[in-house]
Amino acid sequence: MKPGQVHHSFEDTSLRIPIVEIYPLKQLSPAALKSVKYAQIAASIAEIGIIEPPVVIRDQLEPQKFHLLDGHIRVDVLAKRGDTEVVCLVATEDEAYTYNRRISRLATIQEHKMILKAIEKGVPEERLARALNVNITSIRHKKSLLEGICPEAVDMLKEKQVPLNTIGQLKKMRPVRQIEAAQLMIAMNKYTISYAQSLVAATPDAMLLRPKKKIGDLTAQQVSLMEQESATLDRDFKTLEQDYGTDHLDLVLSSGYVTKLLGNAKIVRFLAQFYPDMLAEFQKISEFRKAA
């Protein structure tokens, strides 16, 4: 390559490739085949076709055959539909290449913004519902998802997989408390509805849009004491988090290295051929890191 020349990560044109000539680097688990994500992708393909082409790389010995880097669910759906070909992007990098690290999966807030843009462009709500495999009520609910959430909290959670009901709990708080709650969720890496409800319960009435209902026979003093204890626990957690940071960093670096190894198609093929058990354990580590 000449100095200053930009190296392309993909071939200049996409290719229509027979599905039988595409070899996946992993098999979809039974759980993945039954997942909501699989059903949504299948519904989207049935309604509007492939939006994001799968990514493949040529086999070094047989260039007319391809290894699938990204798009395992899409290709599986197409194969089961009876399609024989699919348009793919062809990657040129093999060493330390992991396509999944270069894209961001659709988070809840990103999906909300995508729905708004689609509606602004004239896409009917009914078609969006079919494409996402949800009912029309869900689409309408997602349209108003962020009403009542302050911009700072939205920005903090925009790349997180936050359940819709959790966002509903945030709407019960005033903006300053929304930001505190978002910070705690990120620090705990916990976005469940039950955790959000616990944060609401621990919030003083002055930081809620509506005062909490009286809890049984508890006095105002007892409720105030519970709120103070919760605030103390939050501070203690943040202190512990600082001590935890070094160990967590080591774990992140180690799992990141394993993920980088699995991004090398040569290494994956070698492990699959000679050390399949080791490959399975490495994949578990990599999947755990992505989930975290």
Side-chain angles (χ1 to χ4, degrees):
M1 185 186 302
K2 296 180 181 179
Q5 183 177 356
V6 177
H7 176 69
H8 291 178
S9 296
F10 299 96
E11 293 184 4
D12 291 336
T13 58
S14 57
L15 291 182
R16 183 174 294 277
I17 303 172
I19 291 177
V20 294
E21 295 178 0
I22 300 175
Y23 298 91
L25 291 180
K26 67 178 182 179
Q27 297 297 320
L28 295 176
S29 67
L33 294 173
K34 297 178 181 178
S35 66
V36 173
K37 178 181 177 182
Y38 188 99
Q40 287 182 331
I41 291 175
S44 176
I45 290 175
E47 182 63 28
I48 56 179
I50 289 284
I51 298 175
E52 182 182 353
V55 179
V56 298
I57 191 167
R58 294 183 185 275
D59 186 275
Q60 290 186 346
L61 300 179
E62 300 181 70
Q64 296 309 310
K65 294 184 178 180
F66 301 84
H67 297 279
L68 183 60
L69 297 177
D70 180 75
H72 289 75
I73 291 180
R74 279 163 276 162
V75 171
D76 188 78
V77 168
L78 292 172
K80 288 178 178 175
R81 277 165 39 103
D83 293 31
T84 58
E85 296 179 324
V86 59
V87 174
C88 298
L89 297 176
V90 183
T92 58
E93 297 181 4
D94 189 358
E95 298 294 332
Y97 181 84
T98 304
Y99 183 74
N100 283 323
R101 286 165 53 197
R102 303 193 182 190
I103 61 174
S104 297
R105 296 300 178 191
L106 202 60
T108 306
I109 291 175
Q110 292 170 334
E111 182 185 40
H112 159 77
K113 293 180 178 179
M114 179 197 75
I115 289 172
L116 288 184
K117 286 183 179 179
I119 291 174
E120 288 173 1
K121 292 181 179 180
V123 178
E125 293 178 351
E126 293 79 4
R127 190 177 184 191
L128 279 174
R130 289 195 299 270
L132 295 175
N133 197 34
V134 297
N135 59 46
I136 191 69
T137 303
S138 177
I139 291 295
R140 289 168 180 165
H141 178 55
K142 290 179 180 180
K143 280 173 55 181
S144 59
L145 180 70
L146 300 181
E147 292 178 5
I149 304 293
C150 70
E152 293 82 0
V154 170
D155 188 63
M156 294 170 67
L157 298 173
K158 65 183 179 183
E159 296 180 356
K160 309 298 182 182
Q161 294 293 341
V162 185
L164 298 180
N165 289 336
T166 294
I167 293 178
Q169 292 296 312
L170 289 176
K171 292 182 180 182
K172 297 179 180 181
M173 309 175 189
R174 295 192 181 278
V176 172
R177 180 57 176 167
Q178 288 179 5
I179 295 171
E180 291 179 354
Q183 290 172 333
L184 288 168
M185 288 179 180
I186 293 170
M188 289 286 288
N189 193 27
K190 194 170 185 177
Y191 307 95
T192 62
I193 175 64
S194 58
Y195 185 58
Q197 288 173 332
S198 71
L199 292 175
V200 172
T203 301
D205 283 349
M207 300 186 73
L208 294 173
L209 295 181
R210 294 185 182 87
K212 293 189 290 289
K213 294 180 180 179
K214 185 177 180 181
I215 307 173
D217 296 325
L218 292 179
T219 65
Q221 184 178 4
Q222 289 172 319
V223 172
S224 176
L225 182 60
M226 290 173 61
E227 292 171 348
Q228 292 174 17
E229 289 293 334
S230 175
T232 300
L233 284 173
D234 289 345
R235 288 194 297 271
D236 290 344
F237 170 77
K238 290 179 179 178
T239 301
L240 288 172
E241 184 189 18
Q242 295 175 357
D243 297 333
Y244 167 78
T246 301
D247 291 339
H248 181 67
L249 177 61
D250 291 339
L251 177 61
V252 168
L253 291 175
S254 300
S255 60
Y257 179 71
V258 170
T259 301
K260 183 178 180 179
L261 288 179
L262 296 183
N264 187 320
K266 289 181 179 178
I267 291 176
V268 172
R269 290 196 293 268
F270 177 81
L271 291 174
Q273 184 175 359
F274 298 106
Y275 302 98
D277 293 340
M278 185 180 296
L279 175 60
E281 294 303 317
F282 281 172
Q283 287 176 332
K284 288 179 184 178
I285 294 173
S286 179
E287 289 300 321
F288 177 80
R289 178 175 182 266
K290 293 174 184 176

